[in-house]
Amino acid sequence: MSTTAPDPLATLGALPGVADAVDSVRKAVDRVYGHRVMRRRSSEVTAEAALRGARGSAALSGADWNLEEVRRRTDFSGDDESQVIGAALRLTAEAGQLLSIWRQSPLRVLARVHLVAAGGAAPDDAVGRPRLAGEPVDEPLIEAPLPGADEVAGRLEGLSGLILAGSAAPALVTAAVVHGELLALRPFGSCNGLVARTAERIVLIGSGLDPKSICPAEVGHAEQGRAAYVAAFEGYLSGTPDGMAAWIAHCGRAVELGVRESTAVCEALQRGAA
């Protein structure tokens, strides 16, 4: 008699409250995809969502710039905040190009994402690879205990295995787990928050939930605030059913707020105001 290995992501999808969050996200996404502007000008909505998502992700990493300043600037090589904004913009441009590789080798994609994010801001030999024992990590927003290098390597392999094996879990659940696990591990010496949120975006796009990348969860994470983001993440770290459900719901709310943002963009385009 054959046995089927348990699907841990699907188990999370069955937690109390998660199904409601998944359903709410699905309805919100369907509404914005059904907007009449999406039939003619979806590429403009995608471009605007990328810009706003980058601004939101950068804000969570300490560079909280006005959207119009992000839109106006062309040189992001200056101070630390400028470099964070530049990294976030590069990542939103890169995310959609990595889908086919993600399905075959998530770890290769994470290495590439870190390479794009770090640019010239980290020592060359530390870019694009998980940190080694004793190497420092610069991630001021997340103050949770830092897993050792061996644990990081093992858990990254486990995460990769889950993705490659596939799951019956909703896209929101998979995206939230990928995001939360990368924040927990902080596998690179820098830019881990940016990497984690980009990986969440890749899952949402690649799953088919948001194929045109018009529902920027980064906007919603930023709108809910850094304190709420950290508090929800602590639920993920706890590993308890309630904590995990709260983190998934938080990520769901982030997607819904991203939908609201893009709906406003659609309305503005329809009025001829953007």
Side-chain angles (χ1 to χ4, degrees):
M1 183 178 69
S2 63
T3 59
T4 302
D7 182 345
L9 294 176
T11 300
L12 292 176
L15 291 174
V18 170
D20 289 341
V22 167
D23 185 56
S24 183
V25 165
R26 178 75 268 175
K27 289 177 179 176
V29 172
D30 286 347
R31 283 195 298 271
V32 72
Y33 269 85
H35 197 287
R36 61 187 300 178
V37 165
M38 288 297 296
R39 293 196 294 271
R40 297 173 285 110
R41 305 178 71 178
S42 65
S43 61
E44 294 173 68
V45 182
T46 296
E48 190 65 20
L51 181 72
R52 296 179 185 220
R55 194 218 71 84
S57 190
L60 288 170
S61 288
D64 193 359
W65 286 19
N66 179 277
L67 178 65
E68 294 311 313
E69 176 66 9
V70 177
R71 194 192 307 279
R72 182 187 67 82
R73 288 281 287 271
T74 57
D75 181 5
F76 298 97
S77 61
D79 58 19
D80 288 348
E81 287 195 6
S82 297
Q83 291 180 25
V84 170
I85 296 285
L89 288 167
R90 291 193 299 272
L91 288 174
T92 57
E94 187 86 2
Q97 302 175 36
L98 297 171
L99 297 178
S100 62
I101 305 173
W102 176 261
R103 297 183 184 108
Q104 300 169 14
S105 180
L107 299 185
R108 278 182 58 200
V109 169
L110 292 176
R112 172 63 184 171
V113 168
H114 184 247
L115 182 67
V116 170
D124 288 347
D125 64 350
V127 173
R129 63 156 175 81
R131 56 187 167 83
L132 304 177
E135 289 184 335
V137 173
D138 179 16
E139 193 62 50
L141 181 60
I142 304 301
E143 299 179 351
L146 197 65
D150 288 344
E151 182 180 350
V152 168
R155 286 172 63 176
L156 281 176
E157 287 292 343
L159 182 63
S160 176
L162 282 177
I163 294 164
L164 293 173
S167 172
L172 172 64
V173 173
T174 303
V177 168
V178 168
H179 183 170
E181 188 69 357
L182 291 173
L183 277 186
L185 295 178
R186 282 147 288 161
F188 303 106
S190 62
C191 304
N192 287 290
L194 294 173
V195 169
R197 291 184 289 275
T198 301
E200 178 184 49
R201 172 185 282 264
I202 289 170
V203 173
L204 292 172
I205 299 170
S207 67
L209 178 65
D210 181 23
K212 294 183 183 294
S213 192
I214 62 166
C215 307
E218 304 96 325
V219 167
H221 287 303
E223 187 169 332
Q224 292 178 91
R226 298 177 87 191
Y229 184 71
V230 172
F233 171 62
E234 287 173 354
Y236 179 87
L237 282 180
S238 75
T240 65
D242 286 349
M244 296 294 287
W247 170 249
I248 294 167
H250 181 88
C251 291
R253 180 59 178 157
V255 175
E256 290 186 67
L257 290 169
V259 167
R260 187 177 71 179
E261 189 88 353
S262 286
T263 301
V265 170
C266 288
E267 293 295 324
L269 288 170
Q270 186 167 279
R271 293 192 304 270

